[in-house]
Amino acid sequence: MFEKLQNLDRRWIFLFVLLSVIIPLLFPLGLKLHTSPPVEDIYNYIENLPEESVILVSFDYGPSTEIELNPAAKAVVRHAFRKKIKVVTMALWPMGAQMSQNVMKEVAEEFDAEYGRDYVNLGYKAGGSVLLLSLKSGFAQQFPTDVNNVPLSDLPLMNKVKDYNNCALVVSLSAGVPGIREYVLIVNTQFGKTMAGACTAVTAPEMYTFLNSGQLMGLMGGLKGAAEYEKLVGIEGNARKGMDAQSVVHLVIVLFIILSNIIYFVGEYRRKRME
Amino acid sequence: MILAGLSNLSGISTLAMAIGQQITMKHIVGTWIAAFLTICIFSFLYDDNPLYKFAEHLFVGVSAGYIIATTYRNVMVPNLYGNIKTGVMILVKTGSFQWQYLSFILAGVMGIMLLMKLVPKFNWIARWPLSFMVGTASGLGIVFTMEALVLKQVDATLVPLLVRTASNSIQWSSTVQNWFMVLGVCSGLIYFYFSKEHKGLFFGTFSRIGIYVLMMAFGAAFGYTVMARVSLLIGRMLFFRDQWWPVFKATFGIEG
């Protein structure tokens, strides 16, 4: 038995992890979810913005990280539309433009928001930091048209929003580079714009340093951060749906780590005794 | 059976499902393809196999194609062709050349030079625009990185080591937190100071603390990485539950 456990096929672990995800999704446990200050800060900031303010939301991710960042995007945009705040979106990642299209279409239908008046999708542009730097002299210079190749001058919202100065908040939904780091480097540090971010869990530890230094006013880290924002906005999105499974899997992984350490040390002890 | 179900659905054109979505033929085919490719990718967990390879190659190919098409449509057409066209129109109409459009012509030329990498005989030409890009990135990187990632971060570690409340009593939680951060940063930096052997009371102790601080950082990073990977699995399972299952029922005509 002990030897079997020592040489356990890792596919058994995969199976346990799979079951730990599937079972809570089929039979939700309703575990409690607490909100944290970095997420509350974003919520409170948007909550206190006056009507008709404009926020810039940058979709810096692709379909591979959709599960972590789409819920955050939907929650922020829902919150903005509920408060009658205008939303301008752009993307530093090629696939971000389509992510933005999908999210905005879904949320805009819910709030009866009109394209061009309540929100605009500027689409994708290459360049990362260089692009962000050049946007200081106006969005129209780098984005002569929106994602559908409509000139910005034909969109009423873009007649009011010329550059960063017209945006009350910049939110980067980031899965890597370019993303929050580039926004902090250019938009926050150089132009002094208030910034918030949502990032994948993998990049969250790096992003928390920006939160600590005040370069980010708030941060949603991974699915957990998105779930917290969904809770604050009062919606049952994909992030909240997945949190039961997330908690159960983490518990299973912790148990596996403890078990494998016990097996390792007992094995070592037995080996030494045999010698 | 699937084909029979699909042909049945195509006659109806759309179905209103419990999840509130209109399920169209396009939606059904797309969802089945997505489900098939998800299983292909997950099959790697059992063992490497041709289905996994097929899905992997398809993903890489589709991604590359999508990026090229998006970049052409969203960047090259409006920003390059559009601006050059405007410059040429002004030149034709007024007879005067507007110098601000020269930068777009230069960018276009450099783009073509970069493509010379594909021609072995002329691939040296690609080095010029490449060196321009490296130079620009380095110049911007040094200036902005120094300010945002070094000076601001150092500034954030300059915190009071004795935090007092409004009533002048010591706020222990913030005080301990600040001590922990300052000691953590300093000991971490000492660990990476290699001009002195990590021995003795000062260097030995602090480099040891530095290792523990780094271990804690690695632990946090590992925890978040596990969370990220599990999130991806949750995402696919939610897809099977919320999108594929209704389509499965529609395909096979299962009610309820």
Side-chain angles (χ1 to χ4, degrees), chain B residues 162-165 169-179:
Chain B
L162 197 64
V163 184
R164 291 187 181 277
T165 58
S169 59
I170 296 171
Q171 197 176 1
W172 286 105
S173 61
S174 301
T175 302
V176 171
Q177 191 181 317
N178 289 357
W179 268 98

Side-chain angles (χ1 to χ4, degrees), chain A:
Chain A
M1 175 69 181
F2 187 77
E3 278 70 32
K4 262 192 178 178
L5 281 174
Q6 267 188 320
N7 301 308
L8 186 72
D9 191 330
R10 61 181 184 160
R11 284 174 288 200
W12 284 107
I13 298 172
F14 298 155
L15 185 67
F16 270 101
V17 169
L18 183 67
L19 290 174
S20 314
V21 169
I22 291 173
I23 294 169
L25 286 181
L26 293 177
F27 309 103
L29 304 170
L31 297 174
K32 270 193 177 177
L33 177 73
H34 299 282
T35 55
S36 58
V39 180
E40 287 166 3
D41 287 345
I42 305 176
Y43 178 83
N44 292 334
Y45 190 90
I46 294 180
E47 187 66 19
N48 292 323
L49 284 178
E51 281 185 14
E52 300 295 312
S53 299
V54 179
I55 61 170
L56 176 68
V57 183
S58 187
F59 287 69
D60 309 325
Y61 65 96
S64 58
T65 46
E66 186 184 349
I67 180 63
E68 287 186 275
L69 294 167
N70 253 12
K74 284 179 190 170
V76 168
V77 174
R78 273 198 182 100
H79 190 195
F81 282 162
R82 188 184 293 169
K83 295 286 300 174
K84 298 201 187 320
I85 291 166
K86 314 288 183 193
V87 180
V88 175
T89 69
M90 58 177 272
L92 299 182
W93 285 37
M95 292 187 188
Q98 189 57 47
M99 296 286 108
S100 166
Q101 285 284 74
N102 297 347
V103 168
M104 297 309 290
K105 187 172 175 276
E106 185 186 324
V107 182
E109 273 173 11
E110 264 176 52
F111 288 87
D112 214 13
E114 188 189 316
Y115 186 77
R117 188 196 64 191
D118 300 311
Y119 71 101
V120 165
N121 183 1
L122 296 176
Y124 159 73
K125 284 285 179 278
S129 309
V130 182
L131 170 75
L132 296 178
L133 197 62
S134 63
L135 289 183
K136 173 70 177 165
S137 48
F139 291 140
Q141 194 183 335
Q142 289 302 326
F143 291 96
T145 60
D146 72 351
V147 71
N148 301 314
N149 282 337
V150 176
L152 291 201
S153 51
D154 293 353
L155 302 164
L157 177 60
M158 294 317 290
N159 290 324
K160 286 199 300 182
V161 184
K162 299 291 181 192
D163 57 26
Y164 294 125
N165 291 329
N166 303 117
C167 301
L169 176 70
V170 179
V171 185
S172 172
L173 308 159
S174 156
V177 177
I180 291 177
R181 192 175 174 277
E182 281 64 32
Y183 272 95
V184 166
L185 249 68
I186 308 293
V187 180
N188 173 264
T189 310
Q190 298 303 314
F191 307 141
K193 286 308 300 176
T194 307
M195 267 214 63
C199 61
T200 53
V202 170
T203 56
E206 188 191 345
M207 298 310 152
Y208 272 102
T209 56
F210 298 131
L211 189 72
N212 192 47
S213 61
Q215 289 161 292
L216 287 179
M217 51 78 66
L219 181 69
M220 288 178 260
L223 198 69
K224 168 84 164 52
E228 288 178 30
Y229 207 96
E230 281 182 352
K231 187 184 177 188
L232 289 167
V233 178
I235 50 174
E236 188 72 37
N238 270 355
R240 284 179 84 182
K241 283 180 195 169
M243 280 317 290
D244 276 356
Q246 188 85 260
S247 305
V248 173
V249 175
H250 284 193
L251 201 65
V252 167
I253 290 171
V254 168
L255 288 175
F256 270 122
I257 291 171
I258 294 170
L259 189 69
S260 55
N261 273 284
I262 291 170
I263 291 167
Y264 171 76
F265 284 112
V266 171
E268 281 291 292
Y269 173 73
R270 280 187 175 187
R271 192 178 57 80
K272 277 181 185 165
R273 262 185 60 181
M274 294 273 276
E275 279 172 7

Side-chain angles (χ1 to χ4, degrees), chain B residues 8-28:
Chain B
N8 185 31
L9 276 173
S10 60
I12 304 166
S13 80
T14 58
L15 274 180
M17 297 304 295
I19 52 171
Q21 284 181 327
Q22 288 285 309
I23 295 191
T24 59
M25 193 64 190
K26 195 172 82 177
H27 185 89
I28 288 172

Side-chain angles (χ1 to χ4, degrees), chain A residues 11 14 17-18 21-22 25 64 67-68 94-95 98 124-126 130 133 142 144-145 147 149 181 185-186 189-190 201-202 204-205 208-210 212-213 215 221 223-224 238 241-242 245-246 249-250 253, chain B residues 45-47 59 62-63 66-67 70-71 73-75 77-79 83 136 140 143-145 147-149 152-153 156 181 220-235 237-238 241-242:
Chain A
R11 284 174 288 200
F14 298 155
V17 169
L18 183 67
V21 169
I22 291 173
L25 286 181
S64 58
I67 180 63
E68 287 186 275
M95 292 187 188
Q98 189 57 47
Y124 159 73
K125 284 285 179 278
V130 182
L133 197 62
Q142 289 302 326
T145 60
V147 71
N149 282 337
R181 192 175 174 277
L185 249 68
I186 308 293
T189 310
Q190 298 303 314
V202 170
Y208 272 102
T209 56
F210 298 131
N212 192 47
S213 61
Q215 289 161 292
L223 198 69
K224 168 84 164 52
N238 270 355
K241 283 180 195 169
Q246 188 85 260
V249 175
H250 284 193
I253 290 171
Chain B
L45 293 173
Y46 185 75
D47 210 349
F59 177 73
V62 168
S63 303
Y66 187 88
I67 289 168
T70 307
T71 308
R73 188 167 176 267
N74 284 11
V75 183
V77 170
N79 290 54
N83 282 311
T136 310
L140 288 173
V143 175
F144 298 136
T145 305
E147 195 172 345
L149 302 185
K152 288 263 183 186
Q153 290 299 319
M181 187 177 72
F222 175 73
Y224 267 110
T225 306
V226 170
M227 185 165 125
R229 303 304 173 226
V230 170
S231 300
L232 299 182
L233 178 61
I234 291 170
M237 292 305 120
L238 280 171
R241 192 190 74 175
D242 297 342

